[in-house]
Amino acid sequence: MKKTICMLVALAAALLAASCAFAARERVETVRPASELIDERQTDIWVEGERLGEMILGARGAIQIIYVDEAMSKAIASDVSLPQWVFEMGRYYGTDPIRKKKLFIAHVDVYKPWDFDYTKVFVGEHRLRKEDILSPSMTNPFGPQPSKSEGYFAFAIPASGLKAGKEIKIGYGDYSEIWKILK
């Protein structure tokens, strides 16, 4: 009787270990690398820059805007090679302020002195407002910024204005790029 119970316990433990290993393997295989996901979720806006082939000349600064959905959030959590600001701002995904909204994170590089006005940032028809900003003021590059500085912020906009598959403009003031909303 003792041998039977021991064998059943050992069998149960082996099955549990096998199912955990299988689940872990499935999870790893379904999470795409963050670098792949960023390529289809990032838009780079060069403010006051002149495009010369592949180069941008004379830009006041650059803004990287990354859309964070569930897949991107999982990839951020599992990729230690990403910059710290991506981790910090990506953590807003799944929080209460994001309900019925879409999360975007932005990184601003300042090359020349720039009075950065977040209300000039737009995604589709939506211009940012104070209530859209999620991140703390210590990271936000709002107002006068010296050259060779940087900052980052997270914002959420209503999901209703972002229809899957549609191409929209994302930008700052008169400078924008086209981005296709993911399906």
Side-chain angles (χ1 to χ4, degrees), residues 108-173:
V108 178
D109 275 323
V110 180
Y111 307 134
K112 299 178 190 175
W114 185 3
D115 190 3
F116 187 84
D117 180 359
Y118 67 87
T119 64
K120 290 184 177 183
V121 174
F122 61 90
V123 176
E125 299 296 318
H126 187 86
R127 285 203 173 270
L128 288 190
R129 302 175 308 228
K130 185 176 184 174
E131 57 267 20
D132 298 328
I133 306 299
L134 303 170
S135 49
S137 60
M138 66 185 186
T139 67
N140 298 343
F142 305 157
Q145 301 297 311
S147 55
K148 298 181 183 174
S149 63
E150 63 181 282
Y152 46 88
F153 62 102
F155 61 94
I157 63 170
S160 59
L162 301 174
K163 303 293 182 209
K166 183 179 176 187
E167 287 188 346
I168 61 170
K169 286 185 177 184
I170 295 180
Y172 179 89

Side-chain angles (χ1 to χ4, degrees), residues 12-109:
L15 287 173
L16 180 63
S19 66
C20 288
F22 180 75
R25 194 181 110 238
E26 283 294 310
R27 183 175 178 269
V28 168
E29 289 175 2
T30 59
V31 175
R32 288 173 49 202
S35 58
E36 282 181 28
L37 297 175
I38 284 177
D39 288 344
E40 53 195 28
R41 288 166 175 78
Q42 179 175 318
T43 304
D44 296 326
I45 297 108
W46 300 89
V47 176
E48 296 180 15
E50 290 286 327
R51 191 174 293 275
L52 182 63
E54 294 291 316
M55 297 186 323
I56 306 292
L57 302 175
R60 180 158 304 281
I63 308 170
Q64 295 172 304
I65 298 179
I66 302 171
Y67 168 62
V68 180
D69 57 1
E70 185 175 2
M72 188 70 215
S73 177
K74 287 178 180 178
I76 289 171
S78 65
D79 190 340
V80 296
S81 68
L82 294 171
Q84 186 63 30
W85 69 269
V86 175
F87 288 106
E88 290 178 26
M89 298 297 106
R91 290 182 189 159
Y92 287 101
Y93 185 81
T95 62
D96 281 341
I98 304 300
R99 229 171 269 237
K100 296 184 182 178
K101 295 183 177 185
K102 300 291 185 178
L103 175 64
F104 290 84
I105 58 177
H107 184 264
V108 178
D109 275 323

